[in-house]
Amino acid sequence: ASRSPAPRADAPHNLPVQLTSFVGRQREKAEVRRLLESARLLTLTGPGGCGKTRLALAVAADMSPSNPDGVWLVELASLGDPTLVPAVVAATLGVQTTLAGRTVEALVAYLAPRRLLLVLDNCEHLLDACATLVDALLRRCPNLRVLATSREALRTPGEVVWLVPSLTLPDPRRLPPLDALVRYEAVQLFLERAAA
């Protein structure tokens, strides 16, 4: 298991520093990167706790060199009012809005000339608001890419949906020898957490 690389020092970002290594999922990480290189909107889906956010952050950190205007994480888990989604994105990016109700226009003006990756985390309770905003931004900002995490797809045009699989586990009916257990991602994660 290797630590997710930090974004380039010269590329702006607000990604959190990961305190533990990114265990397993190397194939998944490579596939998500490949998909995101061609899709402008990629949504990682799956049940709560399956690792959508951690996978998105690892991929986002890796993609910093191809996004000179930054990689920006917008955390939506605690947001209850869907009408505030554009304002939260604007605040994260440092976009000032002077007229009420013009937040989307201000975001378009800011993002249209820029090449960046926007990570929208935990969209499931704000699906319509996220879908509406992402659709408006992608239509008018040609170099913008969005990586979303959600229990459900946003259902917006051009979206590619990718189901995050569970970590690999040994078959409990046919357990391998003890020294072979460490090749399973779930066991690696358990051992890392136990050592921390």
Side-chain angles (χ1 to χ4, degrees):
S2 61
R3 290 196 185 275
S4 296
R8 287 184 2 205
D10 59 342
H13 70 89
N14 70 336
L15 299 177
V17 173
Q18 298 300 318
L19 301 177
T20 58
S21 62
F22 186 70
V23 173
R25 298 209 186 270
Q26 296 311 311
R27 285 187 308 250
E28 291 88 345
K29 194 164 107 170
E31 178 64 10
V32 169
R33 278 192 66 168
R34 186 189 68 74
L35 289 170
L36 200 52
E37 286 170 4
S38 59
R40 295 192 52 224
L41 169 59
L42 176 62
T43 303
L44 304 182
T45 63
C50 74
K52 298 179 296 289
T53 297
R54 191 65 188 265
L55 180 58
L57 291 175
V59 170
D62 285 351
M63 296 194 71
S64 184
S66 58
N67 292 282
D69 294 307
V71 176
W72 300 99
L73 171 65
V74 181
E75 296 177 358
L76 299 170
S78 63
L79 185 63
D81 184 349
T83 64
L84 295 178
V85 169
V88 170
V89 172
T92 299
L93 295 172
V95 174
Q96 302 296 318
T97 56
T98 54
L99 298 172
R102 304 287 293 173
T103 306
V104 174
E105 291 303 314
L107 282 168
V108 167
Y110 177 80
L111 292 169
R114 290 179 167 78
R115 181 178 204 84
L116 62 79
L117 175 64
L118 190 61
V119 181
L120 299 178
D121 189 32
N122 292 300
C123 299
E124 55 272 348
H125 61 297
L126 305 162
L127 287 175
D128 290 342
C130 288
T132 300
L133 177 63
V134 167
D135 186 54
L137 296 177
L138 291 177
R139 287 181 187 278
R140 297 170 61 195
C141 304
N143 295 312
L144 173 65
R145 292 201 186 285
V146 177
L147 177 58
T149 70
S150 178
R151 293 181 188 185
E152 300 177 51
L154 299 184
R155 296 182 189 89
T156 191
E159 178 183 31
V160 173
V161 179
W162 197 77
L163 178 63
V164 175
S166 298
L167 291 173
T168 57
L169 284 167
D171 182 344
R173 294 168 296 187
R174 292 189 316 262
L175 287 174
L178 193 57
D179 60 338
L181 282 175
V182 294
R183 72 174 182 226
Y184 293 94
E185 294 166 337
V187 174
Q188 292 171 19
L189 182 62
F190 172 78
L191 291 173
E192 178 175 303
R193 298 299 186 261

